Amino acid sequence: MYAWIWRHLPGPLVVRILTAVVLVAGVVALLMFVVFPWVEPKLPFNQVTTE
């Protein structure tokens, strides 16, 4: 899959590297600000009780 993405990025090597970095940063930001906060209340790890 990564090779497919790499082949479809436009431009020379430097532009491909910068585009790949921007794509990775976008995916990380999407996960951190949208997906993880949405999933976090649904996980059972929050209901921990100690006595």
Side-chain angles (χ1 to χ4, degrees), residues 16-27:
R16 285 182 178 198
I17 291 171
L18 290 174
T19 306
V21 168
V22 169
L23 286 173
V24 169
V27 168

Side-chain angles (χ1 to χ4, degrees), residues 6-41:
W6 185 256
R7 283 192 308 267
H8 287 85
L9 290 176
L13 181 63
V14 175
V15 174
R16 285 182 178 198
I17 291 171
L18 290 174
T19 306
V21 168
V22 169
L23 286 173
V24 169
V27 168
V28 168
L30 180 70
L31 287 173
M32 295 297 287
F33 294 116
V34 177
V35 176
F36 293 154
W38 176 76
V39 170
E40 192 264 334

Side-chain angles (χ1 to χ4, degrees), residues 36-51:
F36 293 154
W38 176 76
V39 170
E40 192 264 334
K42 297 170 180 22
L43 295 176
F45 309 121
N46 295 348
Q47 298 147 359
V48 176
T49 57
T50 58
E51 294 181 20

